[in-house]
Amino acid sequence: MDNQENHNKRHSLLSVLNPFEVFRHHQTETPKKNHKSKFTTRRSIEALIFLACFLVFFGLLAYKMTLPHMLNTFMQTAYQLLMETVFYIMAICVLMGAISKLLTEFGVVRLMENILRPLMKPLYNLPGVAALGAVMTFLSDNPAIISLAKDNNFSRYFKKYQLVSLTNFGTAFGMGLVVIAFMTGKGYGGGALVGLFGAVVGSIISTRLMQRFTLKSFPEMDSPVTEDDGTEQNISFRSEGSIFQRFLNAMLDGGKSGVGIGIAIIPGVLCISTMVMMLTFGPSGEGGTYTGAAYEGVPVITWLADKINFVFYWLFGFESGQLVSFPITALGAVGAAIGLVPSFIDAGIINNNAIAVFTAMGMCWSGYLSTHTAMLDSLGYRKLIGKAIGAHTIGGLCAGIAAHWTWVLISLIF
């Protein structure tokens, strides 16, 4: 017995002192240190590259404008956008939010859905209930389609490839009511309505392309989302109470949601629009001098666009390279994009054709670069983000082209 215990102790001691065990232990620890070292190195390189780009960008602006004028223009532009544009857009969002909630509460949305339902299959290859998603996003914003898509009473009508294409379908109508109301309020209602038609064209192309791309890469997605039972009638937006109480609550709740949308667009308008404007407009002083006033800058975007403006003129009818700034900004946020319009009006470079193109591309894109990722991730289809972005890029360009040539045709007839 004692011999056996001594043997076990010697075996345990040898296993601890085994050089191969020590070597293997050292091997397993080294990669962790190397991995951490590589991660730190990559972050350091990334920081240096960002810092270099940051200094070069603002250094060139400061060199051209002088540092005091650049800083003053930066702050003055953001302030003017906040006071003159953001609050105006927020007021529209509050009013349109109240109206959209009233339309939803008293069944007008359901009526519009029934009218549009027969168009869904031939135009979009989607079940008729998808019309509800189009109306909801038009009255509010892109994320409205996701809350519907997660409802079993709604999603049970779709196949998997159709459900993911709702990301493109819904985004094409996001903030549509706000954009059209804004353009109409500036006196360009005709161009805004033509732009709505262009957005519909772009939505068809984007949705169809997304479905095609998805089925080509993942043919197994040509199957129902779920076999569970559900009924469309359970998708209800009606609240309880008397008609007057429902009217008052809907108006106030809708206005409150409009405030949320208005606040949400502030970072995009102040940050994105300010930078875009500083790369679009030039000096405002006599003799081309900088004064530090709002909306000054170094017109890099305008200079580049003017070099190939014949392309933008043929596709979109843009008579000035400055107008290219709108679709560029709409890639990130449509609220920031419409914040550029008052400056274009003041510069005298806007017309109904440009408004039609702006409305079409603004609605169709409506900041899809920043929303597609989150929307598809919430649906559980992150692998399709690249395809959705590619399809929607093409759809937005087609929306602008359709709006321009439709306006040209209307101008020839009337």
Side-chain angles (χ1 to χ4, degrees):
M1 188 68 180
D2 292 337
N3 291 336
Q4 181 65 31
E5 288 181 359
N6 292 333
H7 176 75
N8 290 337
K9 289 180 180 179
R10 285 196 300 271
H11 184 270
S12 299
L13 181 62
L14 288 173
S15 64
V16 171
L17 299 177
N18 189 340
F20 294 103
E21 292 291 335
V22 174
F23 177 73
R24 279 196 292 269
H25 177 73
H26 178 72
Q27 273 192 321
T28 57
E29 289 295 319
T30 303
K32 293 182 180 179
K33 295 180 180 178
N34 290 340
H35 176 73
K36 184 177 180 180
S37 176
K38 290 179 180 179
F39 176 78
T40 304
T41 302
R42 286 197 301 268
R43 291 292 290 172
S44 300
I45 294 174
E46 182 182 42
L48 290 173
I49 293 174
F50 171 79
L51 185 60
C53 295
F54 182 86
L55 293 176
V56 168
F57 178 79
F58 285 101
L60 291 176
L61 283 179
Y63 173 77
K64 186 69 176 178
M65 301 175 65
T66 74
L67 182 60
H69 287 155
M70 183 198 74
L71 293 176
N72 198 43
T73 294
F74 194 76
M75 292 181 286
Q76 286 291 334
T77 301
Y79 175 77
Q80 293 297 328
L81 284 172
L82 177 65
M83 301 303 295
E84 298 178 3
T85 302
V86 170
F87 287 138
Y88 179 75
I89 297 174
M90 183 181 290
I92 293 176
C93 289
V94 172
L95 294 175
M96 293 303 105
I99 292 173
S100 65
K101 187 66 175 180
L102 288 171
L103 295 177
T104 304
E105 175 67 30
F106 291 97
V108 179
V109 168
R110 282 294 192 180
L111 177 61
M112 296 170 65
E113 175 204 347
N114 291 329
I115 295 173
L116 297 174
R117 182 186 293 267
L119 301 176
M120 293 298 103
K121 185 64 177 179
L123 294 182
Y124 296 98
N125 188 32
L126 292 173
V129 72
L132 179 61
V135 176
M136 292 301 296
T137 53
F138 179 81
L139 295 176
S140 55
D141 202 356
N142 302 344
I145 197 72
I146 300 303
S147 60
L148 281 174
K150 289 185 174 181
D151 191 327
N152 181 63
N153 297 302
F154 181 82
S155 63
R156 65 183 294 269
Y157 293 93
F158 295 81
K159 293 185 176 181
K160 292 179 181 179
Y161 78 93
Q162 292 175 323
L163 187 72
V164 296
S165 71
L166 285 177
T167 301
N168 296 60
F169 175 72
T171 302
F173 299 100
M175 286 187 68
L177 184 62
V178 173
V179 173
I180 291 175
F182 180 89
M183 300 302 188
T184 303
K186 294 297 181 181
Y188 297 95
L193 291 178
V194 173
L196 175 60
F197 170 77
V200 171
V201 174
S203 69
I204 294 172
I205 294 172
S206 175
T207 304
R208 289 279 190 167
L209 281 176
M210 179 58 179
Q211 293 173 358
R212 183 180 179 86
F213 293 161
T214 302
L215 282 179
K216 185 176 181 180
S217 299
F218 306 98
E220 68 275 9
M221 294 185 69
D222 189 10
S223 59
V225 173
T226 179
E227 300 292 344
D228 296 338
D229 293 332
T231 173
E232 183 188 345
Q233 300 304 318
N234 289 336
I235 307 174
S236 176
F237 305 102
R238 184 181 183 278
S239 59
E240 299 297 329
S242 65
I243 292 179
F244 177 75
Q245 184 180 357
R246 289 167 56 201
F247 178 88
L248 190 62
N249 289 338
M251 186 171 60
L252 294 178
D253 291 341
K256 189 185 297 183
S257 67
V259 172
I261 295 175
I263 292 176
I265 69 173
I266 291 177
V269 174
L270 299 191
C271 298
I272 300 176
S273 294
T274 297
M275 295 309 304
V276 170
M277 283 185 173
M278 292 187 70
L279 296 176
T280 301
F281 299 104
S284 60
E286 294 183 3
T289 58
Y290 289 98
T291 63
Y295 309 129
E296 288 188 337
V298 181
V300 176
I301 294 176
T302 303
W303 181 80
L304 292 173
D306 284 337
K307 295 297 182 182
I308 55 171
N309 195 48
F310 64 93
V311 176
F312 299 117
Y313 180 77
W314 190 87
L315 292 178
F316 309 124
F318 288 167
E319 297 179 357
S320 171
Q322 294 177 352
L323 300 178
V324 178
S325 299
F326 185 97
I328 292 175
T329 308
L331 292 170
V334 67
I338 60 179
L340 301 172
V341 173
S343 299
F344 293 150
I345 295 175
D346 293 340
I349 58 176
I350 211 77
N351 54 31
N352 265 302
N353 174 81
I355 292 296
V357 176
F358 286 176
T359 304
M361 300 185 77
M363 276 183 59
C364 194
W365 278 349
S366 59
Y368 73 100
L369 288 181
S370 58
T371 60
H372 269 26
T373 301
M375 292 169 73
L376 280 169
D377 188 45
S378 66
L379 288 175
Y381 291 98
R382 186 182 296 181
K383 60 186 178 182
L384 298 173
I385 291 174
K387 300 182 187 303
I389 290 177
H392 214 66
T393 301
I394 297 172
L397 292 172
C398 292
I401 295 170
H404 164 55
W405 287 106
T406 301
W407 182 260
V408 170
L409 180 62
I410 291 174
S411 300
L412 291 176
I413 295 175
F414 300 100

